[in-house]
Amino acid sequence: VKKRSWGVLRWTWRLTYLSVLGGLGYTAYGIWQNRNPVEQQEPDPSKKTLVVLGTGWGSVSLLKNLDTENYNVVVISPRNYFLFTPLLPSCTTGTIEHRSIMEPIRNFLRHKKASVKYYEAEATKIDHEKKIVYISDDSDIKGTISQNEVPFDMLVVGVGAENATFGIPGVREHGCFLKEVGDAQKIRKRIMDCCETATFKDQSPDEVKRLLHMVVVGGGPTGVEFAGELQDFFEEDLKKWIPEIQNNFHVTLVEALPSVLPMFSKSLIDYTEKTFKEETIEIRTKTMVKNVTETYIEAEYTDANGQKQLEKIPYGLLVWATGNAVRPIVKDLMNSIPAQKDSRRGLAVNEYLVVNGTENIWAVGDCAVANYAPTAQVAGQEGAFLARLFNQMAKTEEIESKLKDLSEEQGKAPNKESRDKVFEEIKDLQRRLRRVKQMGPFEYSHQGSLAYIGSEKAVADISWLTGNLASGGQLTYLFWRSAYLSMCFSTRNRVLVFMDWLKSYIFGRDVSRE
Ligand code: FAD
Ligand code: NAI
């Protein structure tokens, strides 16, 4: 028996060794292949021109799954990279470096079978009748031409959304948003600026208090995750290296509704609020910000007697995370289509994501209104759906044109035998055509919601068989980490994020102000 157990052990060891070796070999081959792209097929001018606006979750998911050899694909976006937004809050404190969650769009497109044209530009107007997109290069370096027109046969609008301010005065001038890489960099800089200015020689106690008051407006997942990351930064690094600030550094989360994270289940909302209390993050619910100045916000809350009161809350850093608003280009397109007149939150689309009132324009992600929450999960699934749809449309066209040729051939067939042969081919193609055309409308499959809440805890509402699994705590945090690591765009991103986590764990976060 002992001998047999040794044999089993030896074999288990050999198999483990081989699978690790195989895994490493596979990863190394993947990296080599990624660095050495093969020659790409040139686009065929007789094919339809498919213009894709944006390089976010929706558009990139479409491009990832699209057979580009079927169309002349043109991508237009002012951002020449894809951004993995779920880890953006971690960039505000330096837990993760921003480049680790960016994937250059050029590298990605260079690996498609047929080449794709990319213009770094903003689409400024869409003429749906003339089928033209007007584009403008708004980057710092401009050539002799910085504005142009791009005609399309098919158009996908995936331009996302902009930050909602609800017209509240002072938000744009004094607040920081958290949507793009530049926003995270600005916040990181301001946190350090507030700390250093607060410790300036002879700074008054009131001013120190103000400068070290970090206010986050909006108790959705963006606000909650940022507040958690910021408190971690303070607990684990800032108070160690700048001990003078430890009695005054304070994070407050302001939310207009009665609770934070309204999309999560009640037990997880309670868990988040309890954890924030333990972390000493103050939550001010039922408090609506009405005005923002350079040094304080004015917020309306209801007091114990049910009376509305206006309060001035001084701040050093203000992060504004109150959700999405429609981009001007989308608003403009909506105004030019009568069928969109009742739509407010974005482009109303049908179940195949076609923009209502048009035939050859589709919309994905945060700029589309398809009755789902504006999340990366929805945008990604919509993009993948459109890729399948377009691949199928191309196949349909190919089969239909073959069928047309075969019918002509059948008419010209010299004898019954060749006529029957063609007839069989036609029947076969018709069967294929029926199969290809069997594509149902878009259906969203919700995998669950995840959010980091600080002090190595996360909350998760996961769709589980027929029900829902709500969990919160440190195990969920490990799940959060592994889920987001596996969802990173590329192996390169995965390795970089993992190394950033390791670096922060071993050396702590960097407290220098760039
Ligand atoms: P985006 O990803 O915003 O991409 C829009 C693209 O369009 C960009 O490339 C932009 O440069 C480009 N663009 C803008 N204007 C123009 C123009 N005029 N012409 C051409 N191109 C243009 N969702 C989740 O499901 N899970 C999460 O954990 C999560 N975390 C998040 C964390 C943060 C901090 C934020 C801000 C969002 C998070 N989200 C998350 C939401 C998610 O990021 C969005 O729902 C998702 O990015 C929407 O994808 P999109 O393709 O519609 O837009
Ligand atoms: P949100 O729309 O989810 O939340 C914004 C919050 O701000 C709301 O609760 C609203 O009541 C509050 N608010 C609005 N105006 C206010 C005011 N004047 N004063 C005080 N509070 C005010 O926005 P968020 O968090 O930016 O998220 C946008 C989208 O991205 C959502 O669909 C969200 O689900 C998704 N997202 C998902 C994440 C995740 O799954 N982990 C992380 C971040 C975003």
Side-chain angles (χ1 to χ4, degrees):
V1 173
K2 209 173 169 187
K3 212 170 157 188
R4 208 188 300 150
S5 326
W6 271 114
V8 171
L9 247 170
R10 243 197 321 269
W11 271 107
T12 315
W13 162 244
R14 276 181 197 152
L15 278 176
T16 316
Y17 181 71
L18 276 177
S19 39
V20 169
L21 215 66
L24 282 177
Y26 181 73
T27 311
Y29 176 68
I31 293 172
W32 181 86
Q33 210 185 23
N34 200 36
R35 293 207 62 189
N36 298 282
V38 292
E39 277 295 300
Q40 278 180 308
Q41 205 173 299
E42 278 305 308
D44 175 353
S46 68
K47 301 252 157 103
K48 283 186 175 160
T49 299
L50 167 63
V51 173
V52 180
L53 303 184
T55 46
W57 279 93
S59 303
V60 165
S61 164
L62 157 71
L63 292 163
K64 210 173 185 176
N65 295 286
L66 183 76
D67 296 334
T68 50
E69 60 276 25
N70 292 329
Y71 299 96
N72 294 311
V73 187
V74 180
V75 179
I76 297 162
S77 174
R79 204 173 76 185
N80 77 345
Y81 56 87
F82 167 77
L83 179 66
F84 187 75
T85 46
L87 291 178
L88 191 61
S90 302
C91 298
T92 58
T93 56
T95 312
I96 290 178
E97 295 299 334
H98 60 272
R99 285 209 176 257
S100 306
I101 57 166
M102 289 158 64
E103 182 68 17
I105 205 72
R106 294 281 186 182
N107 297 23
F108 159 66
L109 293 179
R110 183 63 185 80
H111 282 93
K112 295 303 292 182
K113 199 165 166 192
S115 69
V116 172
K117 236 216 140 37
Y118 168 70
Y119 298 126
E120 191 193 72
E122 194 166 317
T124 48
K125 188 177 168 57
I126 299 166
D127 190 327
H128 70 102
E129 277 163 355
K130 287 193 192 146
K131 295 199 205 164
I132 288 175
V133 178
Y134 296 86
I135 63 169
S136 164
D137 173 9
D138 289 339
S139 62
D140 292 342
I141 310 281
K142 288 192 182 62
T144 43
I145 297 178
S146 56
Q147 283 176 351
N148 218 323
E149 299 173 4
V150 180
F152 64 85
D153 297 306
M154 295 155 77
L155 174 72
V156 176
V157 187
V159 297
E162 60 176 33
N163 295 291
T165 64
F166 307 102
I168 295 168
V171 177
R172 284 200 190 277
E173 296 86 326
H174 310 299
C176 297
F177 297 114
L178 182 50
K179 208 174 210 357
E180 299 291 343
V181 163
D183 300 332
Q185 286 173 303
K186 185 171 161 189
I187 293 174
R188 190 172 173 184
K189 210 166 168 176
R190 278 215 184 165
I191 297 169
M192 291 323 304
D193 207 356
C194 284
C195 293
E196 297 297 357
T197 309
T199 54
F200 188 74
K201 190 164 182 283
D202 299 334
Q203 199 69 271
S204 74
D206 279 351
E207 193 61 351
V208 171
K209 252 198 161 85
R210 176 185 77 78
L211 287 163
L212 295 176
H213 191 200
M214 312 279 143
V215 174
V216 185
V217 180
T222 306
V224 165
E225 290 194 327
F226 170 69
E229 292 276 355
L230 184 54
Q231 188 67 26
D232 282 0
F233 187 29
F234 170 67
E235 291 295 338
E236 292 163 18
D237 302 283
L238 285 174
K239 78 175 182 194
K240 214 183 287 173
W241 309 120
I242 322 175
E244 307 97 288
I245 65 167
Q246 63 182 325
N247 294 329
N248 289 304
F249 192 95
H250 188 54
V251 181
T252 302
L253 182 65
V254 181
E255 166 58 52
L257 297 175
S259 73
V260 297
L261 293 182
M263 67 290 291
F264 280 79
S265 47
K266 174 82 176 72
S267 63
L268 293 181
I269 293 174
D270 293 345
Y271 181 76
T272 306
E273 293 185 347
K274 185 176 130 265
T275 307
F276 267 26
K277 214 170 182 178
E278 286 163 11
E279 290 170 1
T280 66
I281 298 173
E282 190 184 347
I283 300 185
R284 298 279 308 261
T285 48
K286 297 188 197 160
T287 307
M288 165 93 81
V289 178
K290 297 272 181 175
N291 185 32
V292 173
T293 73
E294 200 179 346
T295 51
Y296 62 84
I297 55 171
E298 275 183 292
E300 189 182 81
Y301 70 99
T302 312
D303 68 12
N305 306 320
Q307 298 291 312
K308 290 225 185 311
Q309 302 285 354
L310 209 58
E311 183 188 353
K312 283 184 182 164
I313 306 175
Y315 71 85
L317 170 78
L318 174 69
V319 172
W320 193 266
T322 61
N324 294 341
V326 182
R327 284 200 192 278
I329 183 173
V330 174
K331 243 184 248 169
D332 184 64
L333 179 62
M334 285 161 66
N335 289 339
S336 70
I337 304 171
Q340 297 282 333
K341 77 173 195 313
D342 296 329
S343 189
R344 293 280 166 273
R345 287 178 299 115
L347 288 162
V349 292
N350 72 10
E351 69 273 35
Y352 285 88
L353 307 180
V354 178
V355 172
N356 291 345
T358 71
E359 278 176 3
N360 41 21
I361 304 182
W362 289 259
V364 285
D366 288 1
C367 66
V369 180
N371 289 331
Y372 305 112
T375 65
Q377 225 182 120
V378 171
Q381 289 185 28
E382 287 177 342
F385 168 82
L386 273 196
R388 281 200 306 280
L389 185 77
F390 293 166
N391 292 343
Q392 182 242 43
M393 278 163 66
K395 262 193 214 131
T396 307
E397 271 182 29
E398 188 192 311
I399 298 175
E400 278 174 349
S401 122
K402 268 193 199 153
L403 273 173
K404 202 168 145 229
D405 292 348
L406 281 175
S407 330
E408 280 168 18
E409 204 181 304
Q410 195 186 24
K412 290 183 201 147
N415 52 38
K416 182 170 181 308
E417 196 186 336
S418 44
R419 251 198 316 277
D420 285 352
K421 200 169 154 238
V422 177
F423 180 67
E424 279 309 311
E425 273 181 59
I426 290 180
K427 256 181 31 194
D428 192 43
L429 275 181
Q430 279 172 336
R431 261 198 303 274
R432 259 185 71 195
L433 188 63
R434 270 198 299 276
R435 256 201 323 271
V436 166
K437 275 189 164 173
Q438 263 171 10
M439 185 163 164
F442 173 70
E443 268 175 47
Y444 171 60
S445 148
H446 186 60
Q447 308 295 307
S449 308
L450 269 173
Y452 180 60
I453 57 170
S455 62
E456 304 199 340
K457 289 178 185 155
V459 286
D461 256 330
I462 308 288
S463 305
W464 186 256
L465 299 174
T466 50
N468 200 48
L469 187 77
S471 83
Q474 284 174 330
L475 261 181
T476 315
Y477 169 63
L478 288 180
F479 174 68
W480 176 87
R481 275 204 159 179
S482 45
Y484 281 165
L485 197 63
S486 69
M487 279 158 57
C488 278
F489 188 87
S490 63
T491 309
R492 191 185 68 93
N493 285 153
R494 238 165 266 137
V495 171
L496 291 178
V497 166
F498 183 78
M499 286 190 338
D500 286 346
W501 277 337
L502 200 66
K503 191 180 74 184
S504 304
Y505 183 74
I506 297 174
F507 300 108
R509 301 169 186 84
D510 189 337
V511 296
S512 49
R513 184 166 81 90
E514 284 166 60

